[in-house]
Amino acid sequence: MIKVKAVPLITFLVIFSFVLFLGGTMPYFLLYIFSFTFLVPLVHSLIVLKYINGTINVPNQSLYSGESIAIEYEIKNNSIFPIPYLEISSNITKQLTGIDSPSLVLSLGRKKSYFHSETILLKRRGYYEVGEIIVTVRDIFGIFSFRKKIACPTSLLVYPETINLSTFRIISSHQSGEALIQNSVFQDKSRVNSLREYKEGDSVKTIHWKLSAKRNLPIVKEFESYGDTNVTIFLDNQLDHYKYDIDRRLEDKAASTAVSIINYCLNQSIDISLETQNEYGYIKIQGQKKSDYKPFLEALARFKGNGKNDFKLLLKSRYEVIQRSSTIIIITPYLDKEIGSIAIELNMKNYNPLFILITDTENNTGYIDREVEAMLLQEGILIYTLDYKTNIKDTLEVYNG
């Protein structure tokens, strides 16, 4: 891209017109001087622009929201001429953090390089084409301005922040007679699997009091887990429900909540599925072991509120093929009567529906019909409400003591 200042250009055109129509020694002299004044900075700028190049270095390891990374770039002047004015602008920080990075202005000697490094905090999960550096070369008179882009071929996949939950209430599908056995960690309390020392986050209900008193340190009981517990997360990404999502807050909270529950279930060897959409596409990921975690992470890093199909239709079309007595977790920023009626129907059909409602009260985004919420609670359906600034761990563990 080339920019030329208007005043010198207009002056040159006036002198050229004068010479063209009238001629004369002095007008020609002025034309030659002015042409030389234009030509030298033009040629100088074009030469240095041609020989400017650079490199951008970004980490290529697994990255998580909330981590800090170093972004480095180097601009090289490979020409035999110095650059009197060089401006460097980067949009990389803006893409990764939402914060503009100030432009740098400097001069660069011949065969010299400029190296820059900055540490940025990854506030957002997501998939990013890292972007480019724009260098602007100007002559000392400021007549010409040339821009050159230095692209970075690397992309970044930033995983959502995972919150380690010590407990989370889900109903096991194991049955004793006609009654479902409900507990917070899918365990048969009648069968002690092992004993170990107390760790932070363990429930006081699992403490072996007699043995703890004997050893003079807290000992907890680990119970056998039910192997037939199934969890399905339906993650709402309907475009209309995220229409006014400021700075992707609802998206990020929904993704971080989902990945935290998935991490907890996989640590417990619980069979878990994630079902959502991507525009018109349908996404389903399933796992039971910790080694199954990465596909969930990648899907939730790319998660966007861009679903073109009705989320309620996804729920209706899928729950009939899910194993009965499974826990169905619905993560959504939108609770209305129709979604509420689906949850009641699930409850009546021997599923175990559970809602996690995502809101951003600061920006007044997310919708909860309070009458529907009260009706669901009356039916015994659990509802967690997570505001953007709410601590996920504190909220999701609240029912477990």
Side-chain angles (χ1 to χ4, degrees):
M1 178 185 243
I2 303 173
K3 289 185 179 179
V4 184
K5 277 198 171 180
V7 174
L9 182 61
I10 292 170
T11 305
F12 175 78
L13 293 175
V14 169
I15 295 173
F16 181 77
S17 301
F18 192 85
V19 170
L20 188 65
F21 291 105
L22 298 178
T25 302
M26 185 55 68
Y28 270 104
F29 177 76
L30 291 174
L31 178 64
Y32 294 157
I33 292 295
F34 218 80
S35 298
F36 186 76
T37 304
F38 264 83
L39 189 61
V40 171
L42 176 62
V43 172
H44 176 230
S45 297
L46 288 173
I47 290 174
V48 297
L49 187 71
K50 179 180 179 181
Y51 287 96
I52 281 181
N53 57 41
T55 56
I56 304 171
N57 295 315
V58 296
N60 57 7
Q61 74 268 25
S62 298
L63 301 169
Y64 290 84
S65 175
E67 289 185 342
S68 295
I69 63 168
I71 302 292
E72 302 172 344
Y73 61 83
E74 185 178 15
I75 306 299
K76 299 177 182 179
N77 176 17
N78 294 315
S79 74
I80 60 173
F81 300 108
I83 304 174
Y85 181 97
L86 180 67
E87 182 178 336
I88 304 171
S89 302
S90 169
N91 69 348
I92 297 175
T93 302
K94 173 71 173 178
Q95 277 190 289
L96 297 178
T97 67
I99 301 172
D100 285 312
S101 180
S103 298
L104 300 171
V105 178
L106 63 146
S107 58
L108 196 60
R110 62 190 187 93
K111 302 293 183 179
K112 296 290 184 181
S113 298
Y114 173 76
F115 180 83
H116 178 78
S117 176
E118 60 181 301
T119 300
I120 62 174
L121 179 66
L122 297 171
K123 293 184 177 181
R124 296 171 171 171
R125 44 115 225 145
Y127 175 75
Y128 302 96
E129 297 286 350
V130 171
E132 58 195 13
I133 302 292
I134 299 174
V135 294
T136 303
V137 174
R138 294 179 189 164
D139 62 275
I140 57 174
F141 303 114
I143 299 173
F144 299 101
S145 178
F146 297 91
R147 297 177 68 187
K148 186 174 186 177
K149 295 179 180 180
I150 298 171
C152 178
T154 306
S155 59
L156 285 180
L157 188 63
V158 181
Y159 298 140
E161 181 184 11
T162 302
I163 307 299
N164 289 315
L165 303 174
S166 57
T167 59
F168 181 66
R169 185 177 182 178
I170 296 175
I171 297 176
S172 169
S173 58
H174 178 85
Q175 296 191 28
S176 175
E178 295 298 320
L180 280 172
I181 299 175
Q182 178 175 319
N183 55 78
S184 60
V185 289
F186 325 104
Q187 293 170 333
D188 184 348
K189 301 297 185 182
S190 66
R191 300 180 183 178
V192 177
N193 186 40
S194 63
L195 299 170
R196 60 170 173 80
E197 291 184 14
Y198 176 86
K199 295 179 182 177
E200 184 179 355
D202 287 337
S203 173
V204 294
K205 296 177 183 178
T206 64
I207 294 178
H208 193 302
W209 295 107
K210 289 184 179 179
L211 190 59
S212 297
K214 188 176 181 179
R215 294 192 180 182
N216 202 27
L217 80 164
I219 302 294
V220 297
K221 296 175 282 188
E222 288 191 325
F223 303 98
E224 291 185 5
S225 296
Y226 298 131
D228 57 350
T229 303
N230 290 275
V231 178
T232 298
I233 296 177
F234 284 100
L235 182 54
D236 181 5
N237 80 327
Q238 186 175 325
L239 183 62
D240 292 347
H241 298 170
Y242 292 84
K243 187 176 181 181
Y244 302 104
D245 187 11
I246 305 298
D247 204 25
R248 298 172 60 190
R249 285 185 166 196
L250 298 179
E251 279 184 20
D252 288 345
K253 198 69 174 183
S256 186
T257 301
V259 80
S260 299
I261 295 171
I262 290 165
N263 177 63
Y264 175 76
C265 290
L266 294 179
N267 284 335
Q268 301 290 333
S269 297
I270 302 302
D271 190 352
I272 185 163
S273 299
L274 171 69
E275 302 196 23
T276 186
Q277 304 175 89
N278 180 29
E279 294 187 334
Y280 290 105
Y282 165 69
I283 295 172
K284 180 180 178 180
I285 302 169
Q286 192 169 4
Q288 191 177 23
K289 304 182 295 294
K290 191 63 180 178
S291 57
D292 300 325
Y293 190 41
K294 192 171 182 180
F296 290 103
L297 273 177
E298 292 182 350
L300 290 168
R302 298 172 187 267
F303 172 75
K304 292 182 179 180
N306 63 358
K308 300 296 180 65
N309 297 317
D310 192 323
F311 177 64
K312 293 183 283 290
L313 294 179
L314 173 65
L315 283 173
K316 289 178 179 179
S317 66
R318 292 295 303 155
Y319 70 69
E320 289 292 350
V321 299
I322 296 173
Q323 180 179 318
R324 294 299 173 105
S325 301
S326 296
T327 292
I328 294 179
I329 301 174
I330 302 169
I331 302 177
T332 178
Y334 194 88
L335 176 64
D336 63 2
K337 290 180 180 178
E338 192 171 351
I339 293 180
S341 65
I342 293 173
I344 291 174
E345 185 179 352
L346 287 170
N347 204 31
M348 292 174 62
K349 291 188 175 182
N350 204 27
Y351 293 101
N352 305 302
L354 179 158
F355 275 93
I356 299 178
L357 305 178
I358 308 298
T359 62
D360 180 9
T361 53
E362 185 178 320
N363 293 299
N364 197 30
T365 50
Y367 172 77
I368 302 174
D369 187 319
R370 295 301 177 185
E371 291 185 4
V372 175
E373 181 185 30
M375 177 182 65
L376 293 175
L377 290 172
Q378 194 172 21
E379 293 291 329
I381 296 173
L382 284 180
I383 298 177
Y384 300 85
T385 301
L386 271 172
D387 190 68
Y388 173 72
K389 293 185 176 181
T390 301
N391 185 288
I392 292 175
K393 185 177 179 69
D394 290 347
T395 302
L396 297 189
E397 292 181 351
V398 71
Y399 286 103
N400 303 298

